[in-house]
Amino acid sequence: MGDKSTLPYGEENLCGQWFAYKNEAKRDPSEDDNGVSPENCNALSRLTMWWMSPLIFGGLKREVLSGSEAPKLPTEFRLENVAPRAKAAWEEEVEHSRAAGREPSMLRVLWSMWKGTLIKGLLWSSVQGVVSTVVKPLLLLLLIDSLGANSINATQAYYLAGLSLTLIAEGISTSTSRQYFNDRFGSAYLVTCSSLLHWKAHTASTLASNEKAILGGDIIKTYESFKQLCLLPMSCFSIICGVIMLYVTLGWVCSIGLALVFIILLVTLYLAKITKKVEHKALMAADERIAITTRIIEGIKAIKYCAWEQNFLNTVVDSRHVETEYIQQTRMLHMAAVQLGRSSPILAAACTFIVLALMGGELNPARIFAGLTIFQALRLALTSTPIGFTLSATIVVSLKRLASYLATPGVEQRQTCDEGVRIENGRFSWGGPFTLKVDKMEAEKGTLTAVVGQVGAGKTSLISAILGDMPMKEGTAMVANDSVGYAPQRAFVVCGSIKDNILMGREYDERRFYDAVMGAALDADLDILPAGAETAIGERGITLSGGQQQRVSVARALYSVPKVLVLDDPLAAVDSSVAAKIFDSLKEYAHDKGCCVIVSLNQLHFLPEVDQILVLSNGTLAEQGTYAAVMASQGVLHTFVTDSERIIGASQSQSKAPVASAAANTKTDDEQKTAASLFKSEKADRGEVSKNVYKEYVTSMGTFNTVFGLVMAQVGYIFMGFSDRWLAIWIQKDTDYHDEKALNLSVPGNRTAPEITLYAPVYGGACVMLVVCLIISSAFFSKATMQAGRTLHNLVLERLLHAPVAWYQETPSGRIISRLSSDLSTVDNFLSQFFEHSISFACTILVLFTIMIIVVPPVAIVLAFSAVLYLFQIKAADATNRDLKRLSNHAMGPVLTGMAETTNGQGRAVLRVMNFSEHSQTSFGDKINLMARYSFLSAGVIAWQNMWCYAVATLISTSTGVYMLWGPSSFSSTSLGLALTYCFLLPYFLLYFSFTFSVMRVCMTSLERLLHYKGEDVTQEPEWHVPSDDPSWPSKGDIQFENVMLTYREGLPPALKNVSLDIRA
């Protein structure tokens, strides 16, 4: 270990030479706070979302939103507060399920934890349903009925004022319901599920490997679904209240329309059921593709060296083709349900009114337009219900997958003893044909035990059995309680400094840190590194050599001076002198510090110096004892040593050789100066999403598909506007007829009842054509968007596989995986939907404005002013939401990287065995808190837009009503009814155009991130094949280097200089 008195550093500063600079206190970026939060504002501000206004209006001024400007995440949704509750709730659910003989359910866990939030959301949803389908149509009916008076009276003013207040109340209830279900419960869902997944990852078997797929493909994907799923409770209440009001308003004849509505609803539910099955297949296909892609990224060196890129490219492309086939089926089923939902209120109203007319009933303007308002109010409900049930089915599938993973048996906890390791009659197996047999094994305190054997004999399996990773089928195994240090065969390192990797959240003790560094022979390396122990280690340890990484892993195990120290082949990646120093340290930790040291060795010359040898052969502990005793038995070890190329005596003398500097295994000083910039910073996009992104997407869709789908959507909504205008004309004709008939003015030659054969077929035909056009439009858009997703993925993947190894070394794997999982999932499942929805709502608003101007020309002034306000809020909200989504996307990469570090290779065992789970959970919590923070605010922007859209609609409807009642022109009851009905439709269409357009623009940031890897962000190798390639090359296997200089990647100093060599075949 070295004599402290010979050090140039005093006792008070043993490690001072290794800390080139003092670290500032680490700050959780999710703690940044600009002072604005739903937790520190009044109830009215929370109710109206006014607390978001400074952040949103600031979007018009700033170039880009920084993380420090964003309000903090509410305390109740932070992982450190959620995780203990989630773990307790899951364990309680497992106990109750076991007692009841059922499978544990994540749905019950979420209900038990967040039922207060869900109940409040349900209450606000019921208010919204009553206001939109009861109060609003009733006030409209009374207002139109009051037009019979000869003069304007105060009652009409009260009715109009009531309608304005009703719109405001509807806006507040809709926004608040969305807050509870989307913002609050959505955030709770994300953090709860993520915390449980990460907790389980520490105790799961090392064979488990689908955590990243569940996190990226299930949890994050379904979290995005809450933007639409939050409408389902409101829809259910609206349907119940709407049915009651339709009967009150129109009588029994409404049952015709309701029957059609519920037939369509049953059809959509059946489609949702089918969608659930297809969605599950799509998720499984996505898991397979992501798993293959992850393996490619982790093994990119081997793939490049073996020139297997084309083979793996073909494999992933084939997997992606299968996935997109399922996604397209899901999209077609989903959009069929949506279009049936959109058109069902129009078809139901048409059936009801036509049957009423055929039976000789009067088309009373007040009742017809009140009924039409109710049917149109059900539009949201009937559209959202199939979407909601489809998304619910998807979430149920994802939660079942998560629950299934959480319920899988974890690593068995070994029995504990006071010290050492004991195994008796042990039989261990991974589940395959290989079984490890250990009849009796004992390693005592203060001893150094070596595990040896030929390749495949079971050395690593024995290590895994001791640590509890390898399942025990028979026997007993006991390990010293809560005091194990472990260095795996493949070094486990995480993003952070060398100091962070050694401490792993433990309290810093200078003496122990010094001893651990010296014991791992890492001191010479730290002396050379400019930042010393603060040198940053990138993902996969790219700034350190393999030997340095292994010594960091050894130092981590030594730091706590554990009762049991287990090391799996720690000397494999170091030279002989460094190996001798580490081995001497292990002897000291065993004999002087009382550790039970168990080390797997292939360096046979060290065996005479150990206290006990465990010899494995074909999965069986064949021999054990001292070196002399085992060799004397002339058994497996004797044969193994005899066949070895080394001579024991020479090896022993070599092991006593003076310790050389480890600098030979270390990168040069100049190289390490670049350690502060391990990875290229992720490209931070600013401002508007480039038009080239939209162009790329539309081009990938196909110009014909896009244009034809757009034309059919516009034609469909023109039919909608025509049908409503035609209905108004029909009602007016019918009203005039009945008025004249009541006044006995019907004489030969005068007007007769309107011809049913003229008005009914035209009205019904226009409604049917609306449905036909919308379905054709959806079919083209579904096919086109899937074509775009498939094309863009394949282009990105091909470019990634053309990237050199150096690019992968400077790019975190989580960043790559996040683009090919969550970002691609957003493009597949949400961008495609919201792109079509935005077009649909834009076409509808254009038709509504046109009809309103035709009916009430002066309202064009109000519409123009309102349009300015509306576009103002869209611009402000879009700028803020776009930046928040970008921040959220950037925060997602570290989340996936953190999960990968927890579950990659032997990292899971290190974290579990050495009790680093709490530190890992804290680190992961910082990352998920940051992502949840930005996602929470992004959802808040949508709720804020909800309030703004209702304010604009209130302005339009109030101004229209005031002008039509008290203006200089005289308007009929049918004109007033149609205009006000359209005014009441405006909040829905304005809100959902604003919502879908904003979400579509936000989704474009995911496409933007994906397309980064289709452009110059990914450096490229030369072409794999060129016409001049000689198929006979290489003709022989000679390798010649002449004055070769090599770097790990561009920008780094040389790793090899002036190397010349000649290797003959």
Side-chain angles (χ1 to χ4, degrees), residues 564-575:
V564 176
L565 181 60
V566 181
L567 305 99
D568 191 358
D569 204 8
L571 309 181
V574 298
D575 60 39

Side-chain angles (χ1 to χ4, degrees), residues 706-1011:
T706 307
V707 173
F708 189 78
L710 177 62
V711 169
M712 292 306 297
Q714 185 63 75
V715 170
Y717 285 107
I718 289 175
F719 275 115
M720 184 195 77
F722 172 78
S723 66
D724 289 338
R725 182 61 179 153
W726 188 259
L727 175 64
I729 295 172
W730 183 12
I731 294 172
Q732 186 62 55
K733 295 286 187 182
D734 189 79
T735 301
D736 292 343
Y737 167 75
H738 283 90
D739 287 345
E740 293 176 359
K741 186 176 181 180
L743 295 174
N744 295 317
L745 296 178
S746 290
V747 295
N750 284 358
R751 185 178 326 157
T752 59
E755 290 290 338
I756 297 296
T757 55
L758 171 62
Y759 290 98
V762 174
Y763 176 51
C767 294
V768 170
M769 287 304 300
L770 164 66
V771 179
V772 172
C773 291
L774 293 184
I775 290 177
I776 292 174
S777 174
S778 289
F780 272 85
F781 276 126
S782 296
K783 181 179 179 181
T785 52
M786 279 308 96
Q787 176 182 316
R790 185 183 301 165
T791 300
L792 294 174
H793 167 270
N794 293 346
L795 291 173
V796 167
L797 181 66
E798 184 172 2
R799 191 164 181 85
L800 286 175
L801 285 175
H802 273 86
V805 171
W807 182 86
Y808 288 90
Q809 292 177 336
E810 63 189 10
T811 306
S813 63
R815 191 184 297 173
I816 304 172
I817 292 298
S818 69
R819 280 167 166 79
L820 294 176
S821 58
S822 56
D823 283 329
L824 185 61
S825 175
T826 298
V827 172
D828 286 341
N829 298 286
F830 296 103
L831 178 58
S832 57
Q833 286 185 43
F834 288 103
F835 184 82
E836 180 181 352
H837 291 336
S838 297
I839 290 174
S840 177
F841 285 120
C843 293
T844 308
I845 291 172
L846 180 61
V847 170
L848 290 179
F849 276 21
T850 302
I851 296 296
M852 288 182 67
I853 292 173
I854 291 173
V855 175
V856 191
V859 83
I861 299 173
V862 178
L863 292 176
F865 177 72
S866 300
V868 172
L869 294 178
Y870 180 68
L871 294 175
F872 168 79
Q873 67 87 18
I874 285 184
K875 184 174 179 61
D878 179 59
T880 301
N881 207 14
R882 182 183 61 239
D883 289 341
L884 286 170
K885 186 59 178 177
R886 281 173 174 160
L887 289 170
S888 177
N889 286 339
H890 291 167
M892 192 185 305
V895 168
L896 295 174
T897 298
M899 182 61 73
E901 288 177 344
T902 301
T903 59
N904 187 27
Q906 295 299 316
R908 193 195 312 263
V910 172
L911 295 173
R912 176 182 56 80
V913 169
M914 298 184 67
N915 296 318
F916 293 149
S917 298
E918 184 176 349
H919 166 69
S920 176
Q921 187 88 352
T922 300
S923 176
F924 182 76
D926 292 340
K927 297 178 178 71
I928 200 71
N929 285 342
L930 197 62
M931 178 183 168
R933 174 189 185 185
Y934 300 135
S935 299
F936 178 86
L937 294 172
S938 178
V941 172
I942 295 173
W944 180 89
Q945 284 186 291
N946 189 105
M947 289 299 304
W948 192 275
C949 289
Y950 271 94
V952 170
T954 301
L955 172 64
I956 294 173
S957 59
T958 304
S959 302
T960 302
V962 167
Y963 182 84
M964 296 185 77
L965 289 174
W966 294 293
S969 304
S970 176
F971 294 93
S972 65
S973 58
T974 54
S975 296
L976 178 64
L978 181 60
L980 289 181
T981 298
Y982 271 29
C983 285
F984 296 148
L985 282 177
L986 277 178
Y988 168 76
F989 288 109
L990 291 176
L991 169 63
Y992 286 100
F993 173 72
S994 178
F995 165 65
T996 56
F997 182 74
S998 294
V999 174
M1000 185 267 290
R1001 299 261 287 176
V1002 166
C1003 291
M1004 278 292 176
T1005 63
S1006 292
L1007 177 61
E1008 181 181 50
R1009 280 165 46 85
L1010 183 65
L1011 290 178

Side-chain angles (χ1 to χ4, degrees), residues 126-137 165-167 169-171 173:
S126 65
V127 172
Q128 192 273 345
V130 170
V131 169
S132 63
T133 58
V134 177
V135 179
K136 189 168 63 176
L165 292 175
T166 299
L167 279 176
E170 185 180 3
S173 59

Side-chain angles (χ1 to χ4, degrees), residues 411-473:
V411 173
E412 297 176 359
Q413 293 298 317
R414 295 290 184 249
Q415 297 180 36
T416 59
C417 55
D418 293 334
E419 56 189 36
V421 177
R422 294 179 180 84
I423 299 177
E424 291 186 7
N425 299 318
R427 298 294 184 268
F428 306 87
S429 174
W430 295 112
F434 178 83
T435 298
L436 177 68
K437 301 175 183 177
V438 181
D439 292 330
K440 186 173 182 179
M441 171 217 157
E442 188 170 343
E444 298 289 348
K445 174 184 178 181
T447 62
L448 173 59
T449 300
V451 180
V452 297
Q454 294 182 337
V455 174
K459 299 188 294 296
T460 298
S461 294
L462 178 59
I463 298 293
S464 298
I466 292 171
L467 298 176
D469 266 350
M470 194 173 188
M472 182 170 62
K473 305 302 181 182

Side-chain angles (χ1 to χ4, degrees), residues 81 168 255 435 688 818:
N81 298 320
I168 295 174
S255 60
T435 298
E688 297 280 340
S818 69

Side-chain angles (χ1 to χ4, degrees), residues 213-229:
I214 293 175
L215 179 61
D218 285 321
I219 296 175
I220 294 176
K221 174 183 173 181
T222 51
Y223 166 69
E224 295 291 334
S225 301
F226 280 94
K227 290 182 176 68
Q228 294 175 281
L229 189 61

